């Protein structure tokens, strides 16, 4: 590492202060459609937002993906030293005591916490994975197509492209059509087989099934496939249902991406409902997701990081001792971003750029805001008819593979 | 920044109150660990045991040439190495003190006090005076807690009991009276040192609770006796505190069976990295956390980043020796970590 001790030492002379923030919102058109059991026709439009958190040290923290409601929490951290991020997390969490660290408030807390960690690492002039205690800036990746809306040919092409990067595991969207799902699982396996003779296979039904529907469906698949994990086979809070699935199928059960703090994940861990926990920065920020990962670690459970723009959350995953592999979707969401990581031999390789290593191209952002693109559909996915009760298969014209 | 080597200096500690129950302070010999780096600064830790060979071995095999900032990963590597050992003495304390020294290096590199490197915003932590010498007579008990209340403002006291139930009541009365100089009513906690069988423990604590409001009980029975601890917790008003001597993975049965009401964390056993992991897991269960006494009271640095932190143990407000000194001071009942870079330990 370069000699940065001089500059950081000078900063110590006084407190660094959070001085202001700015949120930029924009709309992106991705390179392709993404879809799951709830919206198999898919979407290609993605709302983007970037939080810029400013300090009096000329260092700005960046947080991707959520930007609303910051004004409700900014007063709690204004003027504070961003390096005190864990304490500031507690302060925000305490501030939200009555209404709870939930919903929009939780999303704002998450965004602020991420920007604070970015600042803390930048002030130390090091990548965040180092600030968090990681020994190596690399994270094993798995491919995830969000692929219910892809034709069989597109499906193969996606996983083959990933396999060419050395990625040897994949997660398929399933849930509406057993025969088609099995055919497509085989396509994914074939595409990945150049990276490994035994690719890791996972499926994700995004809470479309009831627990018993899940057991029946998965057991059928397991007659032909060895599945690493099945994701969200029951509702996010249903620890009895998730545990039932885990006990009745061979695969591990993963869940957690739609829960937003440790308190919500607690029943899943305490009741041994899941085997793998999906973590991401929307779970009350870096601080909150690390709490979840640590509690999981105490219980011998693994965690897996959600996909992210420019794979930015790999910075956090690299420092978690119980992290297995991180989801890579790569649908093209980096229109106005510059980043320094890449995928090599199946791993996300992080650079030594400070913080999250993400920069924003102001001109491109401005251009996106001035000339918003148009395209099909838009996040978020609503829940599909029949979910948890009966299966509504894709209708004619809804997906290209039917 | 890279770790270049280590210097281990044993010393016979000269604590004013010799511990009978705290494993950490009981050995009689301790050592100062100085982890050197290529940046000219050293990371310092003090261990309450002498295991220079283990420390040397860990530095040679795991830490040498590594960047101390990769501390979470380095801690895991040391723990994994320990887990694979099939013979020889366990080296938990050696790993723990090296972890403390690594955190000191990491903070010093940034020129920050450890509490800020960890992400905390204030250097102070709620403290509890802890008298571990069961051999002191009642007048000595009074004098010690009076000094803690008067000189250091300590509002909470913990004392070692478990020998003679009648004398225990008298000692508790002395403690409460002495601490009442600082606050009324003071917080009272006891450590029974696993002295009695479970049924006697319940009977005796219930007798104490006729007269005293006890906040928590340590050493109620063996740390591995999940059923016994739970039985005791169900029978008394005080919280049952569990954790002394346990490694990170050994807390799991207590989380799963709710056999602990308070989680006791010893950085001399699990290091700072392990302590942070356990504290976040405890937060998931909304269990309060206490920190077991540490040389130089450097555990004060950790309190601010533990969401359910309750109290830290102070055996000696001026914890130091002929070889080393600490920046941490005890004032108005708080342990205050100070602003010097690192953990505030220095070698004389």
């Amino acid at each position: 590492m370069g000699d940065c001790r001089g500059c950081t030492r000078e900063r110590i002379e006084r407190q660094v202060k959070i001085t202001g923030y700015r949120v930029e919102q924009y709309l992106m058109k991705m390179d392709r459609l993404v879809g799951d059991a709830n919206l198999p026709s898919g979407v290609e439009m993605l709302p983007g937002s970037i939080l810029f958190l400013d300090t009096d040290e000329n260092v700005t923290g960046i947080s991707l993906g959520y930007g609303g409601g910051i004004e409700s929490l900014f007063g709690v951290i204004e003027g504070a030293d961003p390096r005190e991020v864990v304490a500031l997390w507690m302060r925000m969490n305490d501030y939200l005591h009555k209404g709870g660290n939930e919903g929009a408030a939780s999303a704002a807390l998450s965004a602020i916490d991420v920007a604070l960690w970015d600042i803390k690492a930048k002030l130390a002039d090091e990548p965040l994975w180092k600030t968090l205690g990681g020994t190596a800036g690399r994270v094993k990746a798995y491919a995830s197509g969000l692929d219910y809306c892809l034709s069989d040919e597109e499906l193969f092409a996606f996983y083959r492209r990933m396999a060419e990067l050395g990625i040897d595991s994949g997660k398929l969207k399933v849930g509406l059509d057993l025969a088609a799902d099995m055919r497509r699982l085989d396509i994914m396996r074939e595409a990945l087989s150049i990276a490994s003779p035994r690719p890791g296979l996972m499926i994700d039904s995004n809470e479309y099934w009831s627990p018993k529907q899940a057991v029946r469906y998965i057991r059928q698949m397991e007659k032909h496939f060895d599945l690493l994990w099945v994701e969200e086979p029951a509702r996010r809070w249903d620890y009895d249902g998730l545990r039932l699935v885990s006990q009745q199928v061979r695969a591990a059960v993963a869940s957690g991406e739609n829960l937003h703090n440790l308190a919500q994940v607690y029943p899943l861990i305490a009741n041994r409902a899941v085997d793998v926990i999906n973590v991401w920065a929307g779970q009350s920020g870096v601080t909150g997701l690390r709490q979840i990962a640590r509690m999981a670690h105490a219980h011998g459970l693994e965690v897996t990081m959600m996909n992210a723009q420019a794979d930015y959350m790999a910075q956090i995953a690299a420092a978690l001792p119980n992290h297995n592999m991180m989801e890579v979707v790569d649908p093209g969401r980096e229109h106005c971003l510059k980043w320094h990581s890449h995928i090599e031999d199946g791993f996300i390789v992080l650079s030594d750029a400070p913080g999250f290593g993400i920069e924003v191209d102001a001109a491109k952002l401005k251009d996106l805001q001035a000339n918003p693109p148009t395209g099909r559909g838009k996040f978020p996915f609503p829940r599909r008819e029949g979910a948890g009760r009966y299966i509504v298969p894709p209708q004619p014209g809804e997906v290209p593979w039917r | 920044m890279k770790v270049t080597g280590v210097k281990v200096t044993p010393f016979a500690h000269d604590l004013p109150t010799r511990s009978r129950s705290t494993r950490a302070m009981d050995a009689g010999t301790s050592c100062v660990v100085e982890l050197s780096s290529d940046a000219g600064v050293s990371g310092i830790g003090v261990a309450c045991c002498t295991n220079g060979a283990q420390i040397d071995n860990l530095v040679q095999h795991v830490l040498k040439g590594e960047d101390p900032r990769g501390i979470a990963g380095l801690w895991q590597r040391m723990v994994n190495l320990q887990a694979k050992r099939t013979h020889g003495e366990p080296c938990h304390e050696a790993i723990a003190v090296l972890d403390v020294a690594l955190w000191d290096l990491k903070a010093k590199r940034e020129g920050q006090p450890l509490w800020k490197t960890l992400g905390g915003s204030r250097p102070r932590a709620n403290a509890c005076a802890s008298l571990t010498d069961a051999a002191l007579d009642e007048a000595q008990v009074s004098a010690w807690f009076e000094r803690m209340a008067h000189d250091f403002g300590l509002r909470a006291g913990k004392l070692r009991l478990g020998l003679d139930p009648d004398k225990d009541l008298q000692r508790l009365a002395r403690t409460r009276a002495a601490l009442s100089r600082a606050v009324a009513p003071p917080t009272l906690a006891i450590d029974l040192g696993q002295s009695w069988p479970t049924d006697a423990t319940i009977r005796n604590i219930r007798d104490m609770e006729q007269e005293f409001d006890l906040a928590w009980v340590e050493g109620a029975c063996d740390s591995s006796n999940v059923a016994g601890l739970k039985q005791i917790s169900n029978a008394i008003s005080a919280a049952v505190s569990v954790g002394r001597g346990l490694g990170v993975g050994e807390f799991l049965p207590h989380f799963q069976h709710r056999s602990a009401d308070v989680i006791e964390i010893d950085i001399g056993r699990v290091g700072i990295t392990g302590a942070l992991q356990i504290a976040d897991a405890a937060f998931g269960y909304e269990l309060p956390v206490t920190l077991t006494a540490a040389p130089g009271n450097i555990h004060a640095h950790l309190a601010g980043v533990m969401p359910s932190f309750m109290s830290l143990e102070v055996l000696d407000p001026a914890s130091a020796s002929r070889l080393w000194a600490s920046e941490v001071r005890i004032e108005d009942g708080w342990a205050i970590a100070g602003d010097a870079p690192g953990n505030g330990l220095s070698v004389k």
Side-chain angles (χ1 to χ4, degrees), chain A residues 1 4-5 9 12 15 81 83-87 90 120 126 130-131 133-135 262 266 272 294-295 299, chain B residues 39 67 69-73 77 106 108-109 111-112 116-117 119-121 252 256 258 280 284-285 304 307:
Chain A
M1 285 299 293
C4 49
R5 283 192 298 133
R9 208 166 286 276
I12 293 318
Q15 290 276 109
D81 187 331
R83 291 170 299 186
E84 300 169 359
V85 51
V86 180
M90 288 192 248
K120 186 172 170 82
E126 64 194 8
K130 232 170 223 199
T131 306
T135 42
L262 178 61
Y266 156 76
R272 303 231 41 120
R294 283 173 173 170
M295 188 180 182
H299 291 73
Chain B
D67 184 336
R69 287 173 292 173
I71 193 158
R77 277 190 219 168
K106 186 174 168 103
K108 280 175 174 163
R109 178 194 170 272
Q112 289 179 12
K116 187 171 275 207
T117 292
S121 69
L252 181 55
Q256 286 179 328
R258 313 284 315 204
D280 274 354
Y285 287 93

Side-chain angles (χ1 to χ4, degrees), chain A residues 262 265-273 277 292 295-296 299 301, chain B residues 285:
Chain A
L262 178 61
V265 177
Y266 156 76
L268 300 190
I269 297 178
N271 292 293
R272 303 231 41 120
I277 297 176
I292 292 170
M295 188 180 182
H299 291 73
L301 301 174
Chain B
Y285 287 93

Side-chain angles (χ1 to χ4, degrees), chain A residues 8 11-18 57 80-88 116-117 119-121 123-124, chain B residues 110-112 115-121:
Chain A
T8 48
R11 287 200 184 96
I12 293 318
E13 301 297 318
R14 63 197 186 91
Q15 290 276 109
V16 181
K17 282 194 172 64
I18 299 160
E57 280 288 340
D81 187 331
R83 291 170 299 186
E84 300 169 359
V85 51
V86 180
L88 295 177
L116 289 172
W117 277 104
I119 296 170
K120 186 172 170 82
L123 285 169
Chain B
E110 294 170 9
Q112 289 179 12
W115 58 266
K116 187 171 275 207
T117 292
L118 291 167
S121 69

Side-chain angles (χ1 to χ4, degrees), chain A residues 36-50:
Chain A
D36 66 18
N38 288 300
L39 195 65
S41 56
V43 302
E44 59 186 351
M45 302 309 295
L46 179 69
S49 70
I50 305 171

